[in-house]
Amino acid sequence: MSSHIMPTYARLPVTFVKGQGAWLWDQQNKRYLDALSGIAVCNLGHAHEAVHQAISEQSRILLHTSNIYGIDKQQQLADKLAVLSGLDNIFFCNSGAEANEAALKIARRYGHQKNIDTPVVLCMNSSFHGRTLATLSATGNPKVQADFEPLVEGFIHVPFNDIAAIETAIAENDNIVAVLVEPVQGEGGVNIPDDDYLPTIRALCDQHQLLMMLDEIQTGIGRCGRFFAFQRYDFKPDVMTLAKALGNGVPIGACLARGIAAEMLSAGKHGSTFGGNPLACSAALAVIDTLSNSDLIEQAEQKGQKICRLLTEKTADANNIRNIRHQGLMIGIDLAEANPTLVQSAMEIGLLINVTAEKTIRLLPPLIIDDEQIELLTDGLATLIKTQ
Ligand SMILES: *Cc1c(COP(=O)(O)O)cnc(C)c1O
């Protein structure tokens, strides 16, 4: 592979040249079943017809003007996202990290309006929020932060799924202004919190007038069996960030806000050259229309259940699995021991999977995966786990 690319990724030795649905083909025309969706990006699968139509039509009409003018597709997209989420307004950008930057700026300005000069955002250990300086400082993983000190100030970390730790942090720090949390931790190992964790954070935020900020960059857009993972519960966040699957492969990020949080990024306080441009918004509109006019999201819950059930059955005689869990089609399989060759062995038999947090197999198949592909995936994975 080209030595002119900065080696920020330890790339696997394969290059894909085309895709269709849940399938990808490499340069030798070998076919792979994609159970990762470009890390929760291509939720509708590859080469989706509605997305293709939308961006090819838009590219014929208008790609970019500027946010100093009105943008019709951006307004349409904002209206749809507001209705779907119940939040008030949206700032558009180009990636997850940028969406979280906007959220962090909302939290800081909210703090300054409360006369808190050094506002702090409470974040979780083993979280992931991005690679910019502020978002890597929010990220609860020392590996992401190492060698980039000094970190951006204004973050405190506590263990995930630990309400007492949040209560203690709030009691000990009167400058906390917001809590930032993933509804299910993705990079941290598909960590699903207890049922009362997020609702209790909501109650604590209300009690102490903190902003509840959800990073739904990985969990959103149908991945967890609802349009947004928070919709499994009976509350709304003050701020929510989206990216990854919002454009099904066309880069777009969004920071959604409600109530007082929706008033923080006023004119001159934030911006983006490309954010919310006609091309990206036309892709996102196609994604939302497709999901809204299908039962793919409902099925995501059932398909996730089925994959876990089949894997459990097919690995019943294996002794190296500790746990199999899912929320929708976000699936985690904890192995007893790290297996550094598993991803490569899977590739050899035509399966694309991922391992995160060292010992957790992470599956993020496209929502359009069908029954036959689910059988192939679970057969292949079970064989690999048993023979490794
Ligand atoms: C991927 C991800 C990000 C970062 O998104 P980028 O588009 O890579 O900047 C942030 N938060 C979560 C939860 C993610 O999964």
Side-chain angles (χ1 to χ4, degrees):
M1 302 219 186
S2 170
S3 56
H4 297 296
I5 293 173
M6 282 198 196
T8 52
Y9 285 86
R11 292 171 197 268
L12 292 158
V14 64
T15 300
F16 300 110
V17 292
K18 107 186 145 174
Q20 186 57 245
W23 296 110
L24 282 170
W25 285 265
D26 72 9
Q27 289 167 315
Q28 283 72 44
N29 209 30
K30 177 176 166 184
R31 191 175 78 156
Y32 299 79
L33 181 60
D34 183 4
L36 194 57
S37 311
I39 314 190
V41 169
C42 299
N43 280 8
L44 295 178
H46 301 284
H48 191 273
E49 185 58 26
V51 177
H52 158 65
Q53 288 285 341
I55 61 181
S56 74
E57 245 158 69
Q58 188 62 46
S59 74
R60 207 182 297 127
I61 301 167
L62 188 65
L63 283 181
H64 178 87
T65 51
S66 165
N67 280 308
I68 62 177
Y69 309 111
I71 300 174
D72 177 50
K73 286 274 160 36
Q74 186 182 131
Q75 288 173 11
Q76 289 179 36
L77 178 59
D79 289 349
K80 295 227 162 156
L81 284 172
V83 169
L84 282 166
S85 66
L87 306 194
D88 294 336
N89 61 18
I90 296 112
F91 172 79
F92 289 103
C93 50
N94 315 286
S95 68
E98 278 179 79
N100 283 336
E101 288 275 346
L104 295 170
K105 282 179 73 173
I106 288 174
R108 284 202 168 182
R109 184 147 198 244
Y110 171 72
H112 283 281
Q113 295 209 340
K114 294 210 298 181
N115 291 318
I116 295 172
D117 293 335
T118 55
V120 164
V121 176
L122 189 64
C123 304
M124 305 307 150
N125 292 345
S126 64
S127 60
F128 183 78
H129 299 298
R131 298 283 195 166
T132 62
L133 284 170
T135 58
L136 75 81
S137 302
T139 291
N141 179 350
K143 276 195 205 155
V144 172
Q145 300 172 334
D147 299 333
F148 300 111
E149 297 86 358
L151 300 181
V152 173
E153 288 174 44
F155 299 100
I156 291 179
H157 292 87
V158 295
F160 183 65
N161 200 24
D162 183 343
I163 289 294
I166 296 177
E167 287 171 334
T168 304
I170 293 172
E172 287 175 355
N173 300 276
D174 56 11
N175 54 354
I176 293 177
V177 295
V179 177
L180 174 63
V181 61
E182 296 157 84
V184 175
Q185 288 190 328
E187 306 306 303
V190 191
N191 302 323
I192 302 173
D194 296 340
D195 287 343
D196 61 351
Y197 180 63
L198 294 171
T200 308
I201 292 180
R202 175 70 274 177
L204 285 170
C205 286
D206 288 339
Q207 191 186 334
H208 298 277
Q209 288 166 354
L210 317 179
L211 299 180
M212 182 189 198
M213 310 204 299
L214 291 183
D215 181 339
E216 291 238 21
I217 290 163
Q218 191 159 150
T219 55
I221 323 295
R223 173 58 54 191
C224 287
R226 303 289 190 280
F227 214 102
F228 309 109
F230 82 80
Q231 293 170 327
R232 301 179 80 92
Y233 310 91
D234 194 21
F235 69 79
K236 283 184 212 163
D238 300 298
V239 175
M240 170 173 67
T241 51
L242 300 173
K244 291 208 163 97
L246 182 55
N248 208 59
V250 178
I252 181 168
C255 176
L256 294 75
R258 178 172 72 95
I260 190 156
E263 296 166 21
M264 292 302 117
L265 297 183
S266 46
K269 290 291 179 192
H270 202 41
S272 167
T273 295
F274 293 132
N277 80 21
L279 184 77
C281 290
S282 68
L285 280 167
V287 168
I288 288 176
D289 285 347
T290 302
L291 288 174
S292 301
N293 296 313
S294 73
D295 55 0
L296 282 171
I297 295 180
E298 226 177 278
Q299 284 176 18
E301 187 63 23
Q302 292 153 14
K303 289 174 181 176
Q305 254 170 42
K306 182 167 177 183
I307 291 172
C308 288
R309 177 174 55 77
L310 288 176
L311 265 178
T312 305
E313 285 169 16
K314 294 175 187 186
T315 57
D317 51 347
N319 56 7
N320 50 350
I321 293 182
R322 287 287 168 272
N323 181 267
I324 300 178
R325 63 189 170 280
H326 78 105
Q327 196 173 97
L329 276 169
M330 196 163 172
I331 301 163
I333 303 143
D334 290 342
L335 299 174
E337 272 164 52
N339 181 340
T341 60
L342 190 72
V343 168
Q344 183 96 28
S345 313
M347 244 175 58
E348 277 155 25
I349 62 161
L351 272 188
L352 302 177
I353 61 165
N354 174 251
V355 172
T356 189
E358 277 158 32
K359 289 189 229 180
T360 303
I361 300 174
R362 176 173 51 164
L363 304 180
L364 299 163
L367 310 191
I368 48 92
I369 192 169
D370 66 24
D371 283 340
E372 205 178 316
Q373 292 163 339
I374 285 175
E375 288 294 344
L376 270 172
L377 169 64
T378 50
D379 275 345
L381 198 53
T383 308
L384 282 172
I385 290 171
K386 286 195 286 188
T387 55
Q388 290 277 310

